[in-house]
């Protein structure tokens, strides 16, 4: 939880002071209604959206473009996405993830073989080779929020603590984008009102 | 013709041997046509007997889950999870048939494809997705019926079914003991001799033959022309439900079989309609529908087709190995009341027998014993095909097909013809193919006559 440095000024929020985040996206008409989130855990973690392009430094690793997606009604799981750049000379490995909004988090890989899609847990974690950038994105590697405490609401943000073999623990805020977003800051998609039926 | 079958007394020999030759000739033709298909039917059928087991192994990554203590997630949660991974409209929810299997959500995806999405019922994470009905066993099933290759090929398999019955009938005639030493229940000679292969064909044949006829007959209801017509005739009334079932509700005209797999007897069954709702009416939702269906006692592994319009219904159906548990229930989507509720007991006696036959054909009726017995029949059928080919190979004259000789007196054909005509009318595609074969045979004879005379 400790060794991270916040690079982007707009992401300068603290858990203790969610009001400070209001400066992040003043132009957007996001709904800041927090009435739905009454559990203590969620209130602590759900803060208004930070800059989606904020970067977080952890040792040799730079984490960026971190986002998740608004959940459909009833959805028990959600995916988390970000990029991890290793500027160091030694390989690292993402071995665990945790979030106050999820009872369990796993690191998954989605793979397509023709029309066939499979999703599997990466039991040994995700290697972050020296000098490379690993993308966790829809259709590939991703974080999996499981046993969600409540819905993820577009425009808010959830904290995820990633554990790297060498760089240790680092907490990144994931902005909650539209349920069908394909990238951080991608909020052009129209939500399908029938999708949950 | 060096068989011991010919060394009986000499008096009625000519006629008897004529008949023998006629039957043999047609057994040969039938075999020639059917043999390759019997091999593919046996191989695909043998595999399909163990479809649940094989699918669970081949598709373990999407089908198997670790059993966890406690409740599984609600169906609406599993559907939401599936739609998160595969955006689209949920069409059908299939309950996990066992505690260690995944739930299946069928999604009409935004990309236009119908996808089967497999969800862990305990955690709600999506395990994988693939085009609907694309698992190994669905492919094997479509190969078995040749549906994989389109309607013409499906017609061929129907002809094969009819010819197979002819093949077994003529085979039994040829096997019938005529005073020879051995070759009835024992095998004579060595593999290098033809008689060894004749006996290896005839002796297992007499054991396997009745099962082959059973499989051909119980397979024919699925066939395109004959099966299709018989189905329309047998199940076309009462909106496709057995006559005892109460169906005094509006019907949508849509068939059950268009949305989910159903039994043979319900292929004509229509899906009822919910009465047009009050404007503020809201559907009860999948969770409530499932609770209702489970309350009505649907066997685990049921499928629920979701309403796709304001007048649609929740259609729960299940066809487990245990026939008596077959059930179809349509629920009003606004008040959850069952509009139509049909179970196996509602079928008439004919329908019950037919479903019993199909269930046995599919290896479901008697559990593992059923699967193993039919596996043995499949192996036996392949043995028959191989021994048939080998005995023909050893007998055939050089540079000729080696069709068995024509009888001296063609009148012996009459009885045989009568049977073929009746059979040909009952099974039109087979009958048509018989006529073609008969014409070919006569043409062949005309051509040959000068050289034979």
């Amino acid at each position: 939880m400790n060794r991270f440095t916040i690079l982007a000024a707009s992401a300068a929020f603290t858990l203790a002071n969610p009001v400070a985040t209001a400066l992040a996206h003043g132009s957007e008409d996001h709904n800041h209604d927090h009435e739905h989130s009454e559990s203590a855990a969620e209130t602590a973690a759900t803060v208004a959206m930070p800059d989606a392009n904020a970067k977080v430094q952890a040792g040799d690793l730079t984490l960026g473009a971190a986002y998740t997606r608004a959940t459909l009604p009833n959805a028990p799981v959600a995916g988390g996405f970000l990029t991890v750049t290793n500027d160091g000379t030694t390989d690292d490995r993402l071995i665990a993830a945790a979030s106050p909004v999820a009872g369990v988090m796993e690191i998954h890989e989605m793979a397509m073989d023709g029309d066939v899609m499979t999703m599997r847990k990466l039991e040994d974690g995700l290697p972050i080779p020296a000098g490379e950038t690993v993308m966790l994105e829809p259709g590939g590697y991703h974080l999996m929020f499981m046993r969600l405490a409540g819905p993820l609401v577009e425009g808010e943000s959830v904290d995820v603590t990633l554990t790297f073999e060498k760089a240790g623990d680092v907490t990144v805020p994931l902005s909650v984008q539209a349920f069908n977003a394909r990238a951080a800051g991608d909020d052009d998609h129209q939500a399908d009102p029938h999708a949950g039926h | 013709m060096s068989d011991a079958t010919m060394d009986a007394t000499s008096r009625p020999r000519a006629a008897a041997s004529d008949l023998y030759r006629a039957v043999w000739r047609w057994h040969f033709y039938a075999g020639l046509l059917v043999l390759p298909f019997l091999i593919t039917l046996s191989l695909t059928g043998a595999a399909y007997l163990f479809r649940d087991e094989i699918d669970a192994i081949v598709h373990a990554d999407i089908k198997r889950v670790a059993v966890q203590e406690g409740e599984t997630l609600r169906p609406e949660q599993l559907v939401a999870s599936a739609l998160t991974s595969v955006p689209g409209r949920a069409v059908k929810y299939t309950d996990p048939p066992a505690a260690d299997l995944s739930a299946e959500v069928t999604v009409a995806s935004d990309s236009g494809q119908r996808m089967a999405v497999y969800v862990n019922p305990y955690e709600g994470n999506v395990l994988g997705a693939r085009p609907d009905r694309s698992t190994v066993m669905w492919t094997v099933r479509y190969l078995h019926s040749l549906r994989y290759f389109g309607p013409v090929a499906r017609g061929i398999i129907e002809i094969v079914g009819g010819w197979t019955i002819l093949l077994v009938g003529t085979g039994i005639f040829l096997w019938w003991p005529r005073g020879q030493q051995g070759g009835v229940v024992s095998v004579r000679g060595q593999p290098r001799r033809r008689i060894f292969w004749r006996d290896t064909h005839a002796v297992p044949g007499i054991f396997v033959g009745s099962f082959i006829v059973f499989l051909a007959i119980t397979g024919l209801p699925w066939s395109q022309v004959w099966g299709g017509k018989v189905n329309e005739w047998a199940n076309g009334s009462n909106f496709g439900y057995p006559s005892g079932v109460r169906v005094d509700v509006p019907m949508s005209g849509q068939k059950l079989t268009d949305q989910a797999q159903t039994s043979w007897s319900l292929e004509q069954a229509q899906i009822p309609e919910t009465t047009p709702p009050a404007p503020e009416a809201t559907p009860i939702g999948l969770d409530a529908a499932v609770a209702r269906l489970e309350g009505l006692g649907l066997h685990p592994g049921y499928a629920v087709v979701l309403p796709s319009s304001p007048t649609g219904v929740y259609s729960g159906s299940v066809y487990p190995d245990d026939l008596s548990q077959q059930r179809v229930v349509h629920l009003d989507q606004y008040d959850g009341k069952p509009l139509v509720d049909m179970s196996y007991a509602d079928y008439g006696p004919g329908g019950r027998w037919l479903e019993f036959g199909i269930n046995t054909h599919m290896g479901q009726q008697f559990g593992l014993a059923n699967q193993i017995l039919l596996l043995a029949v499949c192996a036996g059928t392949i043995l028959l095909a191989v021994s048939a080919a080998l005995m023909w190979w050893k007998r055939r004259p050089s540079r000729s097909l080696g069709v068995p000789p024509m009888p001296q007196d063609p009148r012996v054909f009459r009885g045989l013809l009568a049977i073929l005509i009746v059979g040909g009318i009952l099974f039109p595609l087979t009958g048509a193919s018989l006529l073609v074969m008969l014409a070919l045979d006569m043409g062949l004879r005309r051509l040959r006559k000068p050289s034979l005379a």
Side-chain angles (χ1 to χ4, degrees):
Chain A
M1 274 293 262
N2 350 354
R3 292 165 45 194
F4 68 92
T5 324
I6 295 171
L7 297 182
S10 62
F13 65 92
T14 62
L15 295 185
N17 184 13
V19 183
T21 60
L23 59 92
H25 272 257
S27 62
E28 287 181 34
D29 184 24
H30 283 307
N31 185 357
H32 290 266
D33 179 7
H34 281 211
E35 276 170 14
H36 68 279
S37 53
E38 302 201 320
S39 82
E42 200 182 318
T43 311
T46 310
V47 292
M49 184 185 268
D51 187 331
N53 295 313
K55 292 202 185 316
V56 175
Q57 191 81 39
D60 291 330
L61 304 182
T62 308
L63 317 180
Y67 73 102
T68 177
R69 294 153 153 182
T71 49
L72 297 172
N74 285 309
V77 295
F81 313 99
L82 75 161
T83 61
V84 183
T85 303
N86 185 350
D87 293 318
T89 51
T90 51
D91 297 345
D92 206 336
R93 182 183 291 268
L94 173 61
I95 49 177
S99 172
V101 299
V104 175
M105 275 194 92
E106 292 179 350
I107 304 154
H108 280 213
E109 179 186 18
M110 174 174 158
M112 292 297 296
D113 177 13
D115 290 332
V116 178
M117 180 266 274
T118 50
M119 290 225 252
R120 66 186 184 96
K121 182 184 175 184
L122 295 175
E123 300 286 353
D124 299 325
L126 174 61
I128 314 288
E132 289 187 24
T133 296
V134 175
M135 319 264 277
L136 287 83
E137 58 189 351
Y141 301 120
H142 56 276
L143 304 172
M144 201 75 189
F145 295 84
M146 296 159 82
R147 301 185 198 169
L148 280 175
L152 303 183
V153 179
E154 187 175 354
E156 296 184 349
S157 165
V158 295
D159 273 4
V160 172
T161 301
L162 302 174
T163 304
F164 292 94
E165 211 167 55
K166 303 226 169 60
D169 287 357
V170 53
T171 299
V172 277
L174 270 59
S175 63
V176 182
Q177 310 273 341
F179 90 99
N180 54 0
R182 304 288 304 174
D186 175 8
D187 49 9
D188 288 332
H189 291 85
Q190 202 73 65
D192 177 5
H194 299 296
H197 294 184
Chain B
M1 291 302 284
S2 59
D3 284 341
T5 47
M6 290 294 133
D7 52 16
T9 53
S10 57
R11 222 179 342 96
R13 222 182 86 169
S17 110
D18 258 8
L19 182 59
Y20 185 92
R21 285 176 165 193
V23 172
W24 184 20
R25 193 176 176 89
W26 278 86
H27 189 71
F28 176 85
Y29 281 145
L32 202 65
L33 284 169
V34 162
L35 199 133
F37 297 104
L38 282 182
I39 292 175
T40 64
L41 283 168
S42 298
L43 291 174
T44 53
Y48 198 71
L49 287 169
F50 298 92
R51 59 197 162 283
D52 293 340
E53 292 85 346
I54 293 174
D55 257 352
I57 292 167
V58 174
H59 301 297
D61 51 345
I62 53 172
K63 290 238 172 186
R64 300 291 291 271
V65 296
V67 181
Q68 292 183 19
E69 290 290 319
E71 293 279 293
T72 56
L73 295 173
R74 291 177 289 111
E76 284 180 21
Q77 291 180 296
L78 303 178
V79 168
S81 187
L83 291 173
T84 302
S85 291
V86 181
R89 184 175 65 81
V91 174
K92 189 173 74 172
Y93 164 79
T94 307
D95 172 60
D100 63 342
L101 295 174
S102 55
E104 187 179 326
V105 180
T106 312
V107 177
S109 76
D110 290 343
S111 64
Q113 203 169 13
R114 206 175 151 101
M115 300 289 288
V117 186
Y118 298 87
V119 188
N120 180 328
Y122 301 100
E123 293 290 355
N125 57 305
V126 167
L127 301 162
R130 51 187 310 133
D132 195 24
R133 298 189 171 185
S134 73
T135 60
V136 166
M137 282 299 117
W138 271 106
T139 307
V140 165
R141 185 186 170 114
Y142 285 162
L143 286 172
H144 189 71
S145 66
L146 295 187
R147 192 188 190 128
Y148 193 83
F149 303 104
V152 175
R154 266 188 89 192
I156 291 175
I157 215 71
E158 179 170 348
I159 293 172
V160 167
W163 278 87
T164 300
I165 297 168
L166 176 71
L167 195 58
V168 173
T170 50
I172 291 171
F173 178 90
L174 296 174
W175 165 87
W176 200 264
R178 291 176 181 79
Q180 77 266 37
Q181 301 291 314
V184 178
V185 290
S186 62
V187 176
R188 298 161 291 179
Q190 303 295 320
R192 65 191 156 72
R193 293 190 54 208
R194 186 183 102 82
I195 197 164
F196 172 86
W197 292 107
R198 182 267 174 205
D199 290 356
T200 302
H201 185 77
V203 174
I206 202 67
F207 292 108
V208 177
S210 54
F211 291 103
I212 295 177
V213 169
F214 171 80
L215 290 174
I217 290 173
T218 50
L220 276 167
W222 296 111
S223 67
Q224 195 164 241
V225 177
W226 186 84
K229 288 285 167 229
V230 169
N231 197 309
E232 277 174 32
W233 168 75
N235 303 317
S237 55
N238 204 34
F239 298 104
Y241 291 93
S243 57
V245 177
R246 265 171 46 99
V247 289
D248 48 353
V249 289
M251 288 288 172
S252 65
Q254 272 186 309
K255 285 183 185 173
L256 194 57
T257 186
D258 297 335
Q259 300 202 340
Q261 202 187 358
T262 184
S263 70
W264 188 84
S265 301
L266 290 176
E267 279 191 351
Q268 310 293 328
Q270 291 187 21
I271 299 167
E273 273 183 350
T274 299
T275 28
E280 73 279 8
T282 51
I284 59 169
L286 177 61
D287 290 346
V290 161
R292 194 73 196 244
L293 292 170
E294 289 191 346
L296 289 167
L298 261 74
H299 190 278
Y302 52 80
V304 184
V305 177
L306 306 175
S308 58
S309 75
T311 55
V313 296
Y314 291 99
S315 292
S317 61
V318 64
Y319 310 92
D321 288 1
D322 178 2
L323 267 186
S324 66
Q325 298 287 325
Q326 276 196 13
R327 191 84 176 268
V328 175
V329 180
H330 302 289
L331 300 179
D332 185 302
Q333 68 164 313
Y334 301 102
D335 65 10
K337 274 198 229 125
L339 298 169
V340 172
D341 184 345
M342 202 284 327
S343 70
Y344 178 70
D346 293 316
Y347 292 137
R352 284 208 289 270
W353 273 106
L354 198 135
E355 292 297 337
F356 170 86
I358 288 172
N359 212 39
T360 308
H361 182 121
M362 293 174 71
Q364 302 187 145
Q365 184 65 29
F366 304 105
L368 188 62
N370 199 161
Q371 290 169 300
I372 289 172
L373 175 69
L374 290 185
L375 182 66
V377 171
C378 290
T381 307
I382 291 172
L383 174 67
L384 291 183
V386 169
S387 55
L390 281 169
M391 102 172 106
W392 164 74
W393 184 258
K394 288 190 175 291
R395 178 184 60 81
R396 90 194 190 299
S398 56
R399 314 184 58 168
S400 139
L401 193 57
V403 181
M406 268 299 286
Q408 302 294 320
D409 181 358
R411 276 177 303 178
V412 298
F413 266 139
R414 281 178 194 160
L416 202 58
L417 263 178
I419 295 170
L420 294 184
I421 287 166
V422 173
I425 291 168
L426 283 176
F427 301 99
L429 267 191
T430 304
S433 65
L434 273 171
L435 286 178
V436 170
M437 206 59 216
L438 207 62
L440 279 176
D441 186 35
M442 279 154 80
L444 208 70
R445 240 163 51 218
R446 291 265 155 72
L447 279 174
R448 287 253 192 111
K449 225 165 201 171
S451 62
L452 286 173

